[in-house]
Amino acid sequence: MNGIHDMGGMQCMGPIEREENEPAFHEEWEGRVFGMFFTNFAEGHFNVDMFRHGIERMGPAEYLETSYYEHWLHSFETLLVERGVLAEGELEEKIASLREAGG
Amino acid sequence: MAHDHAHNAPPSDTAMRVKALETLLTEKGLLDPAAIDALVDTYENRIGPRNGAKVVARAWTDPEYKKRLLENGTDAIAEFGFSGVQGEDMVVVENTEDVHNIVVCTLCSCYPWPTLGLPPIWFKSAPYRARTVIDPRGVLEEFGVELSEDIEVRVWDSNAELRYLVLPQRPAGTEGMSEDELAGLVSRDSMIGTALADAPAG
């Protein structure tokens, strides 16, 4: 399937930005997302191909504007709702209640 | 990277979203936060390119091992106990006087976790994924690797199953060095192919 993720050969993406002594995770939430891949997988909510496809189905503009682990998060959300693990809107409700409780 | 929105107060929108998801799954009994703590610790502290460097140093010093490594990378790497997720099917490609290998995953981020740990951001970035297959020599120059025109550059685009590890050339002047000392010359980037192995100090 062709799509924005199929980047080989695209031009004008700019220079390759490197970072010295890069940590495994730049933000705490990135590590949580990384770990959730394994726990979601272990619970049988998706396999690796479904997970990748969840990223590849992202809208092209969003794909380019979001970071690597945001792609993972997007795929989790898509698949967990599609699989009926989460109800539509359930995550937004939880975010609102956590914010109300002071984060 | 988290986006800094105008209010810019922690937690970020993304951090909050992740926290909400983890909380929901935990409440549903589908997730144990301690399991995630352990995974984060493993990939932050236990698995990284020092693993791959040991494999390379062994291949430099033990011709029989090198032969096994090039014939069946997965099994030879497993001799060190390095195996599992994202290393199930390993192919080791050897740099020689005539050939330089460089690895990319144009579609996403496939990378041999057991030997190299998690990939750096540049490996997962659009510019590297886009350009390596169309202008590998330009990419190598950007990384400070200048190869003469008569060296063939081979680009390996990872697919969903295979993971590649570059076996860099052993640097000159390292004849008397031990396996451990040699491993110290093997950088992460030299096993991706965006660097050569380091020259020995002095």
Side-chain angles (χ1 to χ4, degrees):
Chain A
M1 189 184 81
N2 197 346
I4 189 63
H5 66 283
D6 192 358
M7 288 189 158
M10 282 186 189
Q11 293 175 311
C12 304
M13 288 290 185
I16 299 162
E17 291 179 19
R18 288 183 281 158
E19 180 184 337
E20 288 296 318
N21 301 315
E22 190 179 323
F25 305 108
H26 290 71
E27 313 259 354
E28 196 210 345
W29 66 262
E30 294 185 344
R32 307 316 287 176
V33 169
F34 175 76
M36 269 192 260
F37 169 79
F38 293 88
T39 57
N40 284 323
F41 177 81
E43 287 286 337
H45 301 318
F46 49 71
N47 64 32
V48 179
D49 295 326
M50 292 162 74
F51 168 68
R52 285 197 188 102
H53 191 219
I55 293 174
E56 292 167 1
R57 286 187 279 153
M58 290 177 76
E62 187 187 2
Y63 183 96
L64 289 174
E65 284 177 353
T66 49
S67 71
Y68 181 69
Y69 286 111
E70 284 174 319
H71 293 179
W72 286 36
L73 177 63
H74 181 102
S75 184
F76 295 162
E77 290 184 27
T78 301
L79 293 167
L80 291 170
V81 169
E82 285 176 359
R83 307 278 293 173
V85 178
L86 297 181
E88 289 273 1
E90 196 175 355
L91 185 63
E92 304 302 334
E93 281 170 31
K94 179 57 80 178
I95 291 168
S97 75
L98 286 174
R99 285 217 189 277
E100 213 154 280
Chain B
M1 297 279 89
H3 296 281
D4 288 328
H5 294 275
H7 45 85
N8 200 26
S12 72
D13 288 351
T14 305
M16 179 54 90
R17 208 168 178 82
V18 173
K19 184 177 176 186
L21 181 61
E22 185 175 347
T23 305
L24 270 177
L25 292 172
T26 304
E27 286 169 359
K28 291 173 188 288
L30 301 173
L31 185 157
D32 174 8
I36 294 187
D37 296 342
L39 283 158
V40 168
D41 176 59
T42 297
Y43 284 91
E44 277 187 332
N45 301 313
R46 294 171 212 277
I47 298 182
R50 292 302 91 212
N51 289 2
K54 288 179 187 168
V55 172
V56 169
R58 175 75 50 88
W60 283 348
T61 52
D62 180 345
E64 283 302 311
Y65 181 75
K66 178 177 161 185
K67 188 161 175 280
R68 293 202 294 283
L69 184 67
L70 295 174
E71 279 174 5
N72 185 333
T74 313
D75 286 354
I77 289 167
E79 291 178 31
F80 284 85
F82 308 146
S83 61
V85 182
Q86 300 291 312
E88 293 94 339
D89 206 345
M90 292 291 303
V91 173
V92 178
V93 289
E94 182 187 16
N95 286 351
T96 66
E97 296 289 321
D98 308 312
V99 174
H100 182 88
N101 296 282
I102 178 170
V103 181
V104 63
C105 177
T106 59
L107 294 177
C108 188
S109 57
C110 287
Y111 193 76
W113 294 358
T115 37
L116 296 186
L118 298 178
I121 285 189
W122 61 257
F123 186 85
K124 305 179 283 191
S125 72
Y128 185 77
R129 289 163 54 191
R131 192 135 53 83
T132 301
V133 287
I134 199 172
D135 180 24
R137 285 178 195 273
V139 168
L140 285 165
E141 261 176 48
E142 210 170 309
F143 277 82
V145 178
E146 296 201 25
L147 301 173
S148 74
E149 280 299 316
D150 54 355
I151 294 180
E152 178 190 345
V153 176
R154 292 185 187 159
V155 179
W156 300 88
D157 189 1
S158 312
N159 64 30
E161 314 299 335
L162 281 181
R163 300 290 177 275
Y164 296 98
L165 186 77
V166 174
L167 174 58
Q169 277 193 285
R170 179 169 173 167
T174 57
E175 289 72 18
M177 291 176 72
S178 71
E179 207 174 304
D180 275 357
E181 290 168 332
L182 287 168
L185 304 178
V186 184
S187 64
R188 174 195 69 202
D189 288 8
S190 75
M191 294 179 279
I192 301 173
T194 53
L196 308 179
D198 299 336

